[in-house]
Amino acid sequence: MLNGQKKPQTRVEFALDYITKEIANGNLRAGDKLPNEKDLAEQLGISRTPIREAMKTLAVAGLIDIRHGHGSYVREEKGAPALPLNLFQLYLQDSTPEMLMELRDIFDRNCSELAAQRRTDEDLASMRECIDRLKALTEQPDASLDDMLKADLDFHRAIYEATGNKLIVTVAEFVLNMVAPWVRKSLDVSGRVRAVDLHEQIYDAILKREIGPQNRMSVDANMKHFMQSLDQE
């Protein structure tokens, strides 16, 4: 779906990647002091400016505390177990639409198959309501784009709920919140009517309990349309 080319890392991203990996791998734990800017810059072979910017980003994300005159520390508090989620949210915030859609593609491909196997009549009713709501909105010339976005995302939430896996539902919500602005743009550019048809295809595959290629074709069509919509801006 995407061109397969990696976006070159900036020096700030390089510094962020190094520090967050040190935290994620447990080399830096809650309460630990980070090396100072000078030492990190020499270790990574870059100037102190990107190190400083990376530190500011990590502080805003809630991963570290910058104590002026004392250095920077990995946050130490009761919420320390939430550090992996903070890391995940940081990566999401720094992601491109393409990166987010690759992640969402993985979710939707697998979740739609799980939903096809596990969905209940109640799950199907929830999905149907979202599609009908979206369709009704697309037929109103003055319909709110935000209302259409909610109907669109609610449909995908219904799929995640149908998997019966609360971990999927929780993590998927992070992804949906970050991808929402891009879905909104897609709806605004060319997706209002087409979105209904694409959602109908996914719903039909889940209704018929289709898995494998038959199920994934509908997800692929949805992702392809999303990327094409963004390219038209």
Side-chain angles (χ1 to χ4, degrees):
M1 179 179 65
L2 302 178
N3 60 22
Q5 296 179 350
K6 288 186 177 180
K7 174 188 172 185
Q9 273 191 325
T10 66
R11 291 181 179 182
V12 174
E13 290 170 340
F14 177 61
L16 276 172
D17 192 45
Y18 174 80
I19 298 170
T20 53
K21 281 182 179 177
E22 288 293 286
I23 296 173
N25 294 337
N27 295 327
L28 287 172
R29 300 179 180 275
D32 285 353
K33 183 178 181 180
L34 278 70
N36 60 40
E37 289 180 6
K38 181 177 180 293
D39 290 341
L40 273 175
E42 291 178 354
Q43 184 176 348
L44 300 182
I46 57 179
S47 70
R48 296 172 66 172
T49 300
I51 298 293
R52 190 174 303 115
E53 291 303 312
M55 291 292 195
K56 290 179 182 177
T57 300
L58 290 168
V60 171
L63 285 165
I64 68 171
D65 285 323
I66 298 177
R67 304 172 190 172
H68 297 290
H70 297 280
S72 299
Y73 294 78
V74 181
R75 291 194 67 174
E76 184 176 22
E77 57 184 356
K78 293 182 179 179
L83 284 177
L85 287 180
N86 287 345
L87 276 171
F88 184 59
Q89 194 166 26
L90 173 63
Y91 289 143
L92 286 178
Q93 290 171 347
D94 194 42
S95 299
T96 64
E98 291 82 7
M99 291 167 63
L100 287 167
M101 289 314 297
E102 285 180 348
L103 179 60
R104 186 181 168 195
D105 184 41
I106 292 172
F107 266 95
D108 285 8
R109 279 173 178 263
N110 292 281
C111 289
S112 61
E113 289 201 37
L114 277 177
Q117 298 173 60
R118 300 175 178 176
R119 93 290 188 279
T120 64
D121 289 342
E122 184 179 354
D123 292 322
L124 290 173
S126 295
M127 294 177 211
R128 183 74 261 165
E129 186 277 329
C130 294
I131 295 175
D132 291 344
R133 180 164 26 115
L134 181 60
K135 183 178 181 180
L137 287 166
T138 62
E139 294 171 351
Q140 301 173 19
D142 58 345
S144 165
L145 194 58
D146 288 333
D147 288 343
M148 283 189 279
L149 172 64
K150 186 175 188 307
D152 187 304
L153 298 184
D154 283 349
F155 172 75
H156 293 284
R157 289 188 178 100
I159 293 176
Y160 302 142
E161 288 283 353
T163 68
N165 188 321
K166 295 301 180 185
L167 288 175
I168 288 175
V169 173
T170 301
V171 176
E173 189 63 29
F174 272 98
V175 180
L176 281 182
N177 285 337
M178 296 307 300
V179 82
W182 304 107
V183 176
R184 190 180 191 279
K185 287 184 179 181
S186 177
L187 286 167
D188 191 33
V189 172
S190 65
R192 294 174 183 239
V193 176
R194 179 66 172 142
V196 175
D197 178 57
L198 291 168
H199 286 65
E200 289 281 12
Q201 291 180 38
I202 297 174
Y203 173 83
D204 189 57
I206 294 173
L207 173 66
K208 295 177 179 177
R209 296 191 184 277
E210 292 179 343
I211 60 174
Q214 295 90 343
N215 183 294
R216 296 186 179 191
M217 283 176 61
S218 60
V219 176
D220 288 344
N222 190 44
M223 297 300 163
K224 183 177 180 180
H225 172 72
F226 174 87
M227 297 308 300
Q228 289 175 338
S229 297
L230 295 185
D231 289 341
Q232 292 176 26
E233 285 193 293

